Amino acid sequence: MPQRLEATNDFVVKFANVNGSGSASANQLFAKAILRMGVPATPRNIFPSNIQGLPTWYEVRISEKGYLGARGGVDLAVAMNPQTWDRDVKEIEPGGYLFHDSSKPMPDSKFRKDINVVGVPLTEMCNRTYSDPRQRQLFKNIVYVGALSALLEIEPAVVEQLLSEQFKGKDKLIAPNVKAFHMGRDWALENLQCPLGIRVARREAIGDRIFLEGNSAAALGAVYGGASVCAWYPITPSSSLAEAFERHCRRYRTDKETGKGRYAIVQAEDELASIGMVIGAAWNGARAFTATSGPGISLMQEFLGLAYFAEIPAVVFDVQRGGPSTGMPTRNQQSDVLSCAYASHGDTKHVLLFPEDPRECFEFGATAFDLADRLQTPIFVMLELEIGMNERLCAPLAWDPARKLDRGKVMSAADLDAARQFGRYLDVDGDGIPFRTLPGTHPTKGAFFTRGTTKDRMARYSEEGPDYVDNMERLLRKFATAAKLAPAAVARPAQQPTRAGVIYYGSTSPAMDEALDTLHERNVHLDALRVRAFPFGPEVAEFIAAHDSVFLVEQNRDAQMRTLIVNELGIDPARIVPVLNFDGNPITARFIVKAIADRMAGANVTPLRKAVP
Amino acid sequence: MTYLPKPKFRHPSLPANALGFTRRDYEGAVSTLCAGCGHDSISAAIIQACFELSLPPHRIAKLSGIGCSSKTPTYFLGASHGFNSVHGRMPSVLTGANLANRDLVYLGVSGDGDSASIGLGQFAHAIRRGVNMLYIVENNGVYGLTKGQFSATSDRGSKSKKGVVNSDEPIDLIGMALQLGATYVARSFSGDKAQLVPLIKAGLLHGGAAFIDCISPCVAFNNHEGSTRSFDYVRAHNEAVNRLDVIPARGEITTQYAPGESVDVRQHDGSVIRLKKVAADYDTSDRVAALTYLQRRQEAGEIVTGLLYLDEEPVDLHAALKTVEKPLNALSDAELCPGAGEIAKINASLR
Ligand SMILES: Cc1ncc(C[n+]2csc(CCOP(=O)(O)OP(=O)(O)O)c2C)c(N)n1
Ligand code: SF4
Ligand SMILES: [Mg+2]
């Protein structure tokens, strides 16, 4: 007999499915049922872009302690795709469990001796109960959720409630789904040893947190932030952001009387056109954005330089994936940091925001538009596949009722009449941000010509060196203003004084939280700083200066954030030790702990600097 | 070259239009193009057309790409906002601008390199979306600004100034515009102001994607013997299918033709285009026939000009997207932001 893994509210389940088999909603039901029992659960969609066998995986980490990062390893595999069987079986931890459809006998060689096999004749049961092939397929998913509920002690009442919510409005579907659920559950209770060594037990560990996807949250942020024009070109993992925007707009931006929309969404012919439309709309005073991923950013380079130099607000949601080229199109990376920060030819710098989770996707999704209008420049919201395309437990969304959209320095007709002078590129306030006018404002005042060519302060074409330098220096002053307005980095001090620090950003957050706890338990202490924006506020340089050794954890090969920090803050590269995960799998606490503990071994005992008196 | 301000001098006897503006009020900075460049004549025609239509200059947005032709928006409509974007991408910028404010008049100016070479895709897609605009290509068959390379509209067999013969088939923007659903299609010649001005007027009033391919000789690089875009060549081969007068909505009809000589076409905004037929059998409402006619005449070596196709009831991009009548850039916070009240409901639905 193999050993049996024992754990309550602390294990990983991985579903291996065939795409299009209707498994997605069943798997989501599984995850939500655990959340409704008050236990944190974090799902991850894994969907290779290789279509053969149409494999998809859905991994759920259940963690009472609330660790939402990927853990690594699988304790229970739900192997529903024969094409990926071998690798799915191989991944299971010794003593773990393999759940499979036992309708057809399988040779012993297909199993492992050191794991526990749980067979349920799903196909047989469904064929017996349903005659319609599509029903057989769909209900099979609910049947396995039923069986798993018995094996893991998931409360049936919770699942029934979720089913009735899911099919609200299509009430006819509730009863058959509940029936299929109980069919699986009853079979397991009668025929299998329930529960397994791993199980779920009700807790109160969720609080008021919500569960949503980053792309949808960012799109909702765009709605709240007042975006009315969206131009996009489909690319994984960003498409669902534009699609969510359309959904949200249909709901919140449809005129009740006429049925017409207070928004315009255009699926452009490519990313050049997407960003071109965004720039045109923003020039003309509408809040506009595009959603894309690395390859799209590459195509937008020339236009981004125009927007920087001609000072046009524009918002770009970059949902990052593995590059270069088509790289790993369905895997996670943080590898567009430099291509966005310095997008385009010539001397350019752009404002980047790095959300850590869907809640921050919402917040930054809205704030990006205020920043774009205020700073009159492109703003990049740097999502990642990991947070964009996965549902994540996070703090509830918040919106200050007193909040107004900050339209920045736009002069109205009355302003123009009252003003002594209007010069499009005059730095009136010393913050580097000039005033602009929108086309059509005033019959005789405030018109100017927007161009990518050098111009003087009055927006007149110029080929004079001093005009060019004057303008480029003002753009630097404006960038310094951006550093004051962009979200500051967030510190998480160690529980005792330390000379070691770690910097991280974006989707690394949950893995880092867990890693810091683990390191603390092992008596390794680090102050942590989560960077939320570029340009960096003074807190970043101060943090580095305050520590003898600083790790920078990121998810790309070339330590791009480190390069940005070294370059922009003039830091000695030797001061920042890169910790890099770039295989496309989300970074884990295990990885961070090992990388940091290995490098710090001994260092904490005898800090190098103080070794010599 | 830096900006040359034009002396502000207004003669008291200059005629004014319905808004009280004179022609000078529609002018821009002094042109920096080569003396005699066809593009300058088109700028003059644009000024004339806007003046005659009494369009408020500040309600026109002029956008362009990069090239000598794309520089011209600086040289007309100085009281309008202008946008000199990037090479070949004016159509997307104009599309976005139009989405933001459907109430302005959009004038896109481009070159044959800008629209048929680097920007062919954007040209095609803006047309097929039915963006409400007048899109003018100042077509000289050459890259003027980069000094005389062939463009994608250069005729096969035409000779460059350096004596090189073009071996590539030309792109016919008129044919493409017709196929892609432009609802107003015309060709003209910068040297024929009498034809060009009314074509621009009617195109500006048109409520959908209006396109004018305007042949505009480059005196510096493509006006020699052997070129098919020289003044002499175009004059010798120009075959106008019609002549037109444009009577704005509520305007006075002054031109009179003998019965049967002309037809009146009413555009959606109420303006009337009075067409005097030159080619008796040419029908501006038949897209398929137009395509065939144009190809036949082209084979015969003719350059067909005039109003080539018109759909009086165009459906523009806003109609297709069902956007509200109010310009999107004028929506208030309350019209845009669902507000704090909805947040609680959203949170509740996500638990
Ligand atoms: C991306 C890019 N590539 C190349 C150029 C150089 N360039 C400027 S104008 C031009 C050709 C313009 O030709 P056309 O549109 O026919 O205008 P014309 O000067 O003939 O009026 C080129 C190739 C550029 N500005 N941008
Ligand atoms: S180079 Fe040709 S197109 Fe350019 S300004 Fe001179 S004549 Fe005109
Ligand atoms: Mg040209």
Side-chain angles (χ1 to χ4, degrees):
Chain A
M1 276 293 276
Q3 97 193 73
R4 272 162 56 100
L5 275 180
E6 298 283 339
T8 300
N9 294 343
D10 185 15
F11 56 94
V12 174
V13 182
K14 189 170 181 180
F15 297 84
N17 296 102
V18 175
N19 191 12
S21 62
S23 58
S25 72
N27 295 348
Q28 201 195 28
L29 177 70
F30 173 85
K32 275 206 133 173
I34 295 170
L35 288 167
R36 287 284 178 93
M37 287 176 65
V39 179
T42 310
R44 286 186 171 74
N45 292 293
I46 304 158
F47 52 101
S49 82
N50 180 0
I51 309 293
Q52 224 245 327
L54 300 164
T56 61
W57 290 271
Y58 186 78
E59 186 183 291
V60 185
R61 179 176 185 189
I62 294 118
S63 163
E64 183 173 334
K65 283 188 177 165
Y67 293 136
L68 309 181
R71 189 201 70 181
V74 176
D75 302 323
L76 165 62
V78 180
M80 303 302 295
N81 184 355
Q83 297 252 16
T84 58
W85 174 275
D86 291 339
R87 56 188 283 192
D88 295 332
V89 170
K90 207 168 138 201
E91 269 184 342
I92 303 169
E93 300 275 320
Y97 304 86
L98 169 66
F99 178 102
H100 75 114
D101 181 355
S102 59
S103 304
K104 265 194 219 134
M106 302 260 274
D108 274 358
S109 60
K110 284 288 189 186
F111 297 95
R112 268 167 54 187
K113 295 252 166 338
D114 61 339
I115 57 171
N116 304 285
V117 177
V118 183
V120 179
L122 298 168
T123 306
E124 206 183 288
M125 267 194 264
C126 290
N127 288 357
R128 214 182 311 123
T129 317
Y130 308 104
S131 51
D132 175 56
R134 184 69 191 156
Q135 279 197 339
R136 283 177 175 172
Q137 178 55 53
L138 287 176
F139 283 123
K140 184 153 70 171
N141 302 316
I142 302 295
V143 174
Y144 75 60
V145 174
L148 289 171
S149 78
L151 291 162
L152 299 173
E153 294 197 322
I154 294 172
E155 296 168 13
V158 166
V159 177
E160 285 170 19
Q161 172 65 24
L162 283 167
L163 284 170
S164 68
E165 287 171 25
Q166 185 186 340
F167 295 109
K168 205 173 148 207
K170 299 177 220 155
D171 293 19
K172 276 206 309 264
L173 295 173
I174 300 174
N177 274 282
V178 169
K179 196 178 143 214
F181 170 76
H182 279 287
M183 180 161 75
R185 182 174 170 84
D186 294 346
W187 193 93
L189 288 171
E190 276 161 37
N191 299 286
L192 300 170
Q193 183 194 343
C194 294
L196 302 176
I198 53 174
R199 66 197 69 167
V200 185
R202 184 170 272 279
R203 294 287 186 270
E204 297 279 336
I206 302 291
D208 66 349
R209 280 186 286 180
I210 57 169
F211 186 62
L212 88 163
E213 214 183 64
N215 281 353
S216 175
L220 190 65
V223 173
Y224 269 77
S228 58
V229 174
C230 163
W232 67 294
Y233 188 75
I235 182 169
T236 305
S238 73
S239 300
S240 59
L241 200 162
E243 287 157 359
F245 183 69
E246 176 143 35
R247 230 176 24 248
H248 298 321
C249 281
R250 269 204 302 273
R251 173 151 194 185
Y252 298 113
R253 294 274 190 77
T254 303
D255 187 84
K256 293 237 160 49
E257 272 157 41
T258 60
K260 291 186 174 177
R262 296 191 294 273
Y263 63 97
I265 301 172
V266 174
Q267 186 188 314
E269 60 270 28
D270 55 29
E271 287 86 348
L272 283 77
S274 310
I275 189 69
M277 289 179 201
V278 169
I279 288 171
W283 170 75
N284 214 359
R287 293 194 153 186
F289 74 92
T290 185
T292 189
S293 192
I297 296 291
S298 294
L299 284 183
M300 294 176 189
Q301 295 284 312
E302 186 189 17
F303 254 136
L304 289 167
L306 172 76
Y308 173 80
F309 198 53
E311 300 182 63
I312 317 267
V315 173
V316 178
F317 291 95
D318 176 12
V319 190
Q320 297 169 86
R321 63 189 215 181
S325 189
T326 313
M328 292 200 294
T330 60
R331 304 300 172 125
N332 198 64
Q333 264 186 4
Q334 302 175 316
S335 52
D336 298 343
V337 175
L338 289 174
S339 69
C340 289
Y342 298 129
S344 207
H345 54 280
D347 290 327
T348 54
K349 294 182 207 242
H350 303 284
V351 177
L352 318 182
L353 309 179
F354 302 98
E356 66 166 342
D357 67 359
R359 190 198 59 79
E360 238 173 32
C361 290
F362 170 77
E363 189 183 317
F364 291 176
T367 302
F369 292 93
D370 282 352
L371 286 172
D373 268 357
R374 173 60 43 194
L375 293 163
Q376 299 175 25
T377 200
I379 307 287
F380 293 75
V381 187
M382 306 294 286
L383 281 81
E384 299 160 44
L385 183 148
E386 167 73 359
I387 41 180
M389 290 191 70
N390 291 313
E391 289 177 298
R392 177 70 57 77
L393 202 57
C394 53
L397 308 180
W399 192 260
D400 178 355
R403 182 166 170 174
K404 292 238 168 336
L405 305 181
D406 175 9
R407 310 260 179 174
K409 299 185 183 179
V410 181
M411 292 181 86
S412 66
D415 294 339
L416 285 165
D417 280 329
R420 201 164 37 86
Q421 178 190 33
F422 167 72
R424 171 66 180 104
Y425 299 107
L426 279 173
D427 184 4
V428 183
D429 308 317
D431 57 4
I433 307 170
F435 282 83
R436 64 174 181 141
T437 56
L438 303 180
T441 301
H442 193 289
T444 54
K445 292 176 180 167
F448 68 96
F449 208 88
T450 303
R451 45 168 63 88
T453 330
T454 299
K455 57 264 164 181
D456 66 12
R457 293 176 178 188
M458 305 307 287
R460 291 174 301 218
Y461 179 87
S462 168
E463 292 184 11
E464 303 299 326
D467 283 335
Y468 174 81
V469 170
D470 178 62
N471 193 43
M472 290 298 278
E473 286 181 345
R474 182 179 52 77
L475 287 172
L476 275 186
R477 283 202 300 283
K478 184 166 96 166
F479 208 61
T481 301
K484 292 184 197 146
L485 300 179
V490 177
R492 178 188 152 143
Q495 290 172 38
Q496 46 183 277
T498 172
R499 299 294 298 167
V502 58
I503 297 175
Y504 62 104
Y505 60 97
S507 75
T508 303
S509 262
M512 182 58 72
D513 288 341
E514 184 180 353
L516 290 169
D517 284 357
T518 311
L519 287 164
H520 173 80
E521 282 157 19
R522 296 196 197 165
N523 211 24
V524 178
H525 305 285
L526 293 112
D527 293 326
L529 187 76
R530 180 166 71 87
V531 167
R532 297 199 300 163
F534 172 70
F536 309 113
E539 68 281 2
V540 177
E542 284 160 14
F543 181 88
I544 296 166
H547 294 91
D548 294 337
S549 54
V550 177
F551 296 96
L552 209 167
V553 179
E554 51 185 320
Q555 303 184 55
N556 57 64
R557 184 193 69 179
D558 292 346
Q560 296 191 21
M561 181 64 80
R562 177 173 173 271
T563 302
L564 199 59
I565 287 179
V566 162
N567 190 41
E568 293 290 326
L569 301 179
I571 306 270
D572 174 1
R575 301 264 296 108
I576 307 181
V577 181
V579 173
L580 306 169
N581 169 81
F582 60 95
D583 65 0
N585 295 314
I587 195 165
T588 61
R590 288 178 186 177
F591 171 86
I592 298 172
V593 167
K594 180 164 178 352
I596 291 183
D598 282 358
R599 288 179 176 88
M600 281 187 59
N604 250 25
V605 187
T606 338
L608 278 178
R609 286 167 135 216
K610 294 175 192 141
V612 188
Chain B
M1 203 47 192
T2 38
Y3 168 86
L4 292 176
K6 212 174 246 189
K8 271 269 180 262
F9 164 77
R10 180 183 289 183
H11 199 279
S13 66
L14 280 179
N17 62 16
L19 295 176
F21 289 125
T22 69
R23 202 181 167 287
R24 290 299 295 271
D25 294 315
Y26 292 86
E27 290 177 355
V30 172
S31 170
T32 60
L33 302 185
C34 305
C37 173
H39 300 347
D40 278 336
S41 310
I42 301 175
S43 297
I46 291 170
I47 292 167
Q48 188 71 21
C50 294
F51 166 69
E52 286 178 10
L53 286 177
S54 295
L55 293 177
H58 74 295
R59 304 299 294 174
I60 306 170
K62 44 182 188 170
L63 297 101
S64 63
I66 299 290
C68 296
S69 35
S70 292
K71 278 178 178 241
T72 62
T74 311
Y75 316 136
F76 58 78
L77 298 176
S80 307
H81 275 69
F83 197 158
N84 206 181
S85 64
V86 290
H87 194 21
R89 319 292 173 202
M90 173 276 284
S92 63
V93 179
L94 190 152
T95 301
N98 184 299
L99 290 174
N101 184 357
R102 59 190 301 174
D103 283 355
L104 301 183
V105 172
Y106 292 91
L107 174 59
V109 174
S110 178
D112 44 317
D114 203 56
S115 281
S117 300
I118 190 167
L120 186 64
Q122 294 220 335
F123 163 78
H125 289 280
I127 297 282
R128 62 180 269 275
R129 287 192 183 100
V131 179
N132 184 359
M133 62 179 170
L134 172 59
Y135 190 131
I136 303 178
V137 168
E138 308 192 345
N139 189 347
N140 53 15
V142 75
Y143 292 177
L145 194 60
T146 52
K147 302 199 188 306
Q149 302 83 357
F150 284 123
S151 87
T153 64
S154 310
D155 285 320
R156 171 174 279 188
S158 90
K159 216 186 259 173
S160 79
K161 203 172 174 184
K162 289 181 182 151
V164 182
V165 176
N166 178 33
S167 56
D168 297 345
E169 199 59 35
I171 286 173
D172 174 22
L173 293 173
I174 289 282
M176 286 192 68
L178 283 167
Q179 287 192 354
L180 292 166
T183 42
Y184 177 99
V185 180
R187 185 185 280 132
S188 192
F189 172 42
S190 65
D192 186 354
K193 205 169 170 184
Q195 181 193 48
L196 180 57
V197 172
L199 281 174
I200 293 174
K201 283 159 77 174
L204 286 167
L205 296 177
H206 184 70
F211 173 64
I212 301 177
D213 177 23
C214 189
I215 296 170
S216 173
C218 168
V219 292
F221 300 109
N222 207 10
N223 196 29
H224 46 271
E225 212 26 268
S227 154
T228 56
R229 294 287 186 281
S230 66
F231 277 108
D232 288 347
Y233 185 93
V234 179
R235 283 208 184 92
H237 296 80
N238 186 351
E239 293 292 337
V241 288
N242 46 32
R243 292 266 156 197
L244 62 159
D245 288 297
V246 179
I247 308 105
R250 293 180 302 279
E252 209 183 312
I253 300 182
T254 50
T255 342
Q256 294 297 332
Y257 294 111
E261 258 198 322
S262 75
V263 292
D264 283 357
V265 188
R266 189 171 293 274
Q267 293 218 86
H268 197 73
D269 69 318
S271 63
V272 173
I273 299 174
R274 175 154 295 178
L275 273 175
K276 181 178 186 297
K277 293 193 170 197
V278 177
D281 54 342
Y282 195 84
D283 177 2
T284 56
S285 67
D286 187 339
R287 182 194 299 267
V288 178
L291 276 163
T292 314
Y293 182 91
L294 288 164
Q295 291 195 340
R296 284 268 142 74
R297 303 324 301 163
Q298 192 187 331
E299 247 174 24
E302 288 177 9
I303 301 171
V304 176
T305 59
L307 177 60
L308 304 175
Y309 176 71
L310 173 67
D311 175 348
E312 306 106 87
E313 295 290 334
V315 176
D316 91 323
L317 179 59
H318 279 282
L321 293 176
K322 299 192 177 61
T323 47
V324 287
E325 293 303 318
K326 190 172 179 183
L328 297 180
N329 72 352
L331 295 173
S332 65
D333 282 22
E335 288 167 305
L336 292 167
C337 180
E342 281 296 325
I343 284 283
K345 284 189 224 163
I346 293 169
N347 283 328
S349 73
L350 297 170
R351 289 193 175 113

